[in-house]
Amino acid sequence: MVDLHITSLSRSAQVAYQDLLRLHLEETASGLIGSVEARHRNGRTYLYDRFRIGTQMKSHYLGEDTPDLRDRLASAARLKTEAEERSKGMSRLARLLRAEGMITTDRETGSLLLAFARAGVFRLGGTLVGTAAYSLYQGELGVRFDTDDLAQTGDIDFASFERLSVSLGDRVEEDPGDILKTLKFDPVPGVFDRQIWKWRQSSGAAMVEFLTPAFGEEVVKPLPALGVSAQALHYLNYLIADPIHAVALYRSGVLIQIPRPERFAIHKLIVADRRSGGTDQGKSIKDRGQAAFLIAVLAQDRPDDLAEAYADALSRGPRWRHRLTSSLSKMPETGDILSTLVK
């Protein structure tokens, strides 16, 4: 049973985190080189920075079209002039958050996230998932996590949609495989097709894996925009739909992408039931603990978002409902919370 005692971060820490996130988003928009071009696919609109290099026209993917992104891009010229002031502000806010007791990202994970961010992994649809993502909800939700809750399993997982990766028409500036090699990770070829979708740390237990939603068989698929292959998994499409930006507290912060907390919580209930016995039993307990804590927080602060995410999962069929019911049978308090939200 997880301790559901919830302690909020101070008001100053919550404001500082949101300010730090805003500055990082502005920093990204300030890099606009040419003109903004909109492209429409499957009912969604994606924005690109279109510019000329010599006699060639280049396109740089910026993100899905939203009013906030449009506003930042419209202010790109002004944001360029504020680069030095913005950099100082980021450093100051990061120091304040550390002083307020927000748990930082460890050096190994932080350096990896920074390198991936610079290469464009998150800009091109990559989403950090797993415990590494869970730790970042402290800023998003304004709550204090216990250090035991954030103990890493040794895995750092990234996920992206194959269809999005194929259709973007853009690519990372440096392959994740090359970055991981520099950081002393070795590729782990697949048993059957030798495709590489995970890397193991040379001197340690850390593992980096790339995942993608399965629409059919759980096989290895390419993610062209990220320059990697990825293991397809069922239920992952639910987790990484409509991700959010977050800042990992490493140096002056690293802007990344993580799942919505309500989807993360419900997905953890499903994953916990999918795990088999043996070594997976401990991971299953941890999954349920993370789900219970997030659901307790969200039921207080964002009940509508939580209710919508839970109802969405329940509506996806009997297999989804079975997984959720099975996990919640071991978590009566969490089950009671969710039952009051969805009638």
Side-chain angles (χ1 to χ4, degrees), residues 33-35 37 39 48-61 169-170:
I33 300 172
S35 58
E37 176 186 56
R39 300 180 187 177
Y48 289 77
D49 181 2
R50 186 166 173 78
F51 55 93
R52 184 183 298 277
I53 296 181
T55 59
Q56 289 188 318
M57 293 301 296
K58 300 287 187 179
S59 293
H60 183 82
Y61 178 65
D170 198 355

Short mmCIF file of all heavy atoms in Angstrom, two decimals, residues 33-35 37 39 48-61 169-170:
data_model
loop_
_atom_site.label_atom_id
_atom_site.label_comp_id
_atom_site.label_asym_id
_atom_site.label_seq_id
_atom_site.Cartn_x
_atom_site.Cartn_y
_atom_site.Cartn_z
N ILE A 33 13.85 30.71 -37.97
CA ILE A 33 14.76 31.28 -38.97
C ILE A 33 14.00 31.95 -40.11
O ILE A 33 14.28 33.08 -40.50
CB ILE A 33 15.68 30.18 -39.54
CG1 ILE A 33 16.52 29.55 -38.42
CG2 ILE A 33 16.58 30.73 -40.64
CD1 ILE A 33 17.31 28.33 -38.86
N GLY A 34 13.03 31.24 -40.68
CA GLY A 34 12.31 31.74 -41.84
C GLY A 34 10.86 32.07 -41.54
O GLY A 34 10.55 32.72 -40.55
N SER A 35 9.97 31.56 -42.39
CA SER A 35 8.54 31.81 -42.22
C SER A 35 7.84 30.54 -41.74
O SER A 35 8.31 29.42 -41.96
CB SER A 35 7.92 32.27 -43.54
OG SER A 35 8.13 31.30 -44.55
N GLU A 37 5.14 27.72 -41.85
CA GLU A 37 4.31 27.04 -42.85
C GLU A 37 3.45 26.00 -42.14
O GLU A 37 3.94 25.24 -41.31
CB GLU A 37 5.20 26.35 -43.89
CG GLU A 37 4.42 25.54 -44.92
CD GLU A 37 5.35 24.76 -45.84
OE1 GLU A 37 6.17 23.98 -45.34
OE2 GLU A 37 5.22 24.92 -47.07
N ARG A 39 1.04 22.62 -42.36
CA ARG A 39 0.75 21.45 -43.17
C ARG A 39 -0.34 20.65 -42.48
O ARG A 39 -0.30 20.46 -41.26
CB ARG A 39 2.00 20.58 -43.37
CG ARG A 39 3.14 21.32 -44.07
CD ARG A 39 4.35 20.43 -44.25
NE ARG A 39 5.50 21.17 -44.75
CZ ARG A 39 6.71 20.64 -44.94
NH1 ARG A 39 6.92 19.35 -44.65
NH2 ARG A 39 7.70 21.39 -45.40
N TYR A 48 5.83 24.31 -39.50
CA TYR A 48 7.22 24.16 -39.89
C TYR A 48 7.88 25.52 -40.05
O TYR A 48 7.22 26.50 -40.43
CB TYR A 48 7.33 23.40 -41.22
CG TYR A 48 6.98 21.93 -41.13
CD1 TYR A 48 5.66 21.51 -41.06
CD2 TYR A 48 7.97 20.97 -41.13
CE1 TYR A 48 5.33 20.16 -40.97
CE2 TYR A 48 7.67 19.61 -41.05
CZ TYR A 48 6.35 19.22 -40.98
OH TYR A 48 6.04 17.89 -40.88
N ASP A 49 9.16 25.56 -39.76
CA ASP A 49 10.00 26.72 -40.06
C ASP A 49 10.58 26.49 -41.46
O ASP A 49 11.40 25.59 -41.65
CB ASP A 49 11.12 26.82 -39.01
CG ASP A 49 12.01 28.04 -39.23
OD1 ASP A 49 11.76 28.82 -40.17
OD2 ASP A 49 12.97 28.19 -38.45
N ARG A 50 10.14 27.26 -42.44
CA ARG A 50 10.59 27.08 -43.82
C ARG A 50 11.57 28.19 -44.17
O ARG A 50 11.25 29.38 -44.07
CB ARG A 50 9.39 27.08 -44.77
CG ARG A 50 9.75 26.74 -46.21
CD ARG A 50 8.50 26.43 -47.00
NE ARG A 50 8.76 26.26 -48.43
CZ ARG A 50 9.27 25.18 -48.98
NH1 ARG A 50 9.59 24.15 -48.22
NH2 ARG A 50 9.46 25.10 -50.29
N PHE A 51 12.76 27.81 -44.59
CA PHE A 51 13.80 28.79 -44.86
C PHE A 51 14.71 28.30 -45.98
O PHE A 51 14.71 27.12 -46.34
CB PHE A 51 14.62 29.06 -43.59
CG PHE A 51 15.21 27.82 -42.97
CD1 PHE A 51 16.50 27.39 -43.28
CD2 PHE A 51 14.46 27.06 -42.06
CE1 PHE A 51 17.02 26.23 -42.70
CE2 PHE A 51 14.98 25.89 -41.50
CZ PHE A 51 16.27 25.49 -41.81
N ARG A 52 15.50 29.21 -46.54
CA ARG A 52 16.37 28.90 -47.65
C ARG A 52 17.82 28.81 -47.19
O ARG A 52 18.30 29.64 -46.42
CB ARG A 52 16.25 29.97 -48.74
CG ARG A 52 17.08 29.68 -50.01
CD ARG A 52 16.97 30.82 -51.00
NE ARG A 52 15.59 30.99 -51.45
CZ ARG A 52 15.02 30.29 -52.42
NH1 ARG A 52 15.74 29.34 -53.06
NH2 ARG A 52 13.78 30.50 -52.77
N ILE A 53 18.51 27.78 -47.66
CA ILE A 53 19.96 27.67 -47.47
C ILE A 53 20.56 27.52 -48.87
O ILE A 53 20.39 26.48 -49.52
CB ILE A 53 20.35 26.47 -46.59
CG1 ILE A 53 19.81 26.64 -45.17
CG2 ILE A 53 21.87 26.31 -46.54
CD1 ILE A 53 20.17 25.52 -44.22
N GLY A 54 21.22 28.56 -49.33
CA GLY A 54 21.73 28.57 -50.70
C GLY A 54 20.59 28.55 -51.68
O GLY A 54 19.71 29.42 -51.66
N THR A 55 20.56 27.54 -52.54
CA THR A 55 19.48 27.43 -53.53
C THR A 55 18.39 26.46 -53.08
O THR A 55 17.42 26.23 -53.81
CB THR A 55 20.05 26.93 -54.87
OG1 THR A 55 20.69 25.65 -54.68
CG2 THR A 55 21.08 27.92 -55.42
N GLN A 56 18.54 25.88 -51.88
CA GLN A 56 17.59 24.89 -51.41
C GLN A 56 16.67 25.44 -50.33
O GLN A 56 17.11 26.22 -49.48
CB GLN A 56 18.32 23.66 -50.85
CG GLN A 56 19.00 22.80 -51.91
CD GLN A 56 19.54 21.52 -51.32
OE1 GLN A 56 20.11 21.52 -50.23
NE2 GLN A 56 19.36 20.40 -52.02
N MET A 57 15.42 25.01 -50.37
CA MET A 57 14.47 25.32 -49.31
C MET A 57 14.46 24.19 -48.29
O MET A 57 14.42 23.01 -48.65
CB MET A 57 13.07 25.53 -49.88
CG MET A 57 12.92 26.75 -50.75
SD MET A 57 13.33 28.29 -49.90
CE MET A 57 12.07 28.34 -48.61
N LYS A 58 14.55 24.55 -47.02
CA LYS A 58 14.56 23.58 -45.93
C LYS A 58 13.31 23.76 -45.07
O LYS A 58 12.77 24.87 -44.94
CB LYS A 58 15.81 23.74 -45.07
CG LYS A 58 17.12 23.55 -45.83
CD LYS A 58 17.36 22.09 -46.15
CE LYS A 58 18.74 21.87 -46.76
NZ LYS A 58 18.99 20.45 -47.06
N SER A 59 12.89 22.67 -44.43
CA SER A 59 11.76 22.72 -43.50
C SER A 59 12.18 22.10 -42.18
O SER A 59 12.77 21.02 -42.15
CB SER A 59 10.55 21.97 -44.07
OG SER A 59 10.03 22.63 -45.20
N HIS A 60 11.85 22.80 -41.10
CA HIS A 60 12.23 22.38 -39.75
C HIS A 60 10.94 22.27 -38.95
O HIS A 60 10.22 23.27 -38.76
CB HIS A 60 13.17 23.43 -39.16
CG HIS A 60 13.71 23.12 -37.81
ND1 HIS A 60 14.79 22.31 -37.61
CD2 HIS A 60 13.32 23.55 -36.58
CE1 HIS A 60 15.05 22.25 -36.31
NE2 HIS A 60 14.17 22.98 -35.67
N TYR A 61 10.60 21.07 -38.50
CA TYR A 61 9.34 20.86 -37.78
C TYR A 61 9.35 21.60 -36.44
O TYR A 61 10.30 21.51 -35.67
CB TYR A 61 9.11 19.37 -37.55
CG TYR A 61 7.86 19.05 -36.77
CD1 TYR A 61 6.60 19.34 -37.30
CD2 TYR A 61 7.92 18.45 -35.51
CE1 TYR A 61 5.45 19.05 -36.59
CE2 TYR A 61 6.77 18.14 -34.81
CZ TYR A 61 5.54 18.45 -35.35
OH TYR A 61 4.39 18.16 -34.63
N GLY A 169 8.61 14.39 -42.24
CA GLY A 169 9.51 14.93 -43.24
C GLY A 169 10.67 15.70 -42.64
O GLY A 169 11.22 16.62 -43.26
N ASP A 170 11.07 15.35 -41.45
CA ASP A 170 12.19 15.99 -40.77
C ASP A 170 12.92 14.89 -39.99
O ASP A 170 12.39 13.80 -39.78
CB ASP A 170 11.69 17.09 -39.83
CG ASP A 170 12.78 18.07 -39.42
OD1 ASP A 170 13.96 17.84 -39.77
OD2 ASP A 170 12.47 19.05 -38.71
#
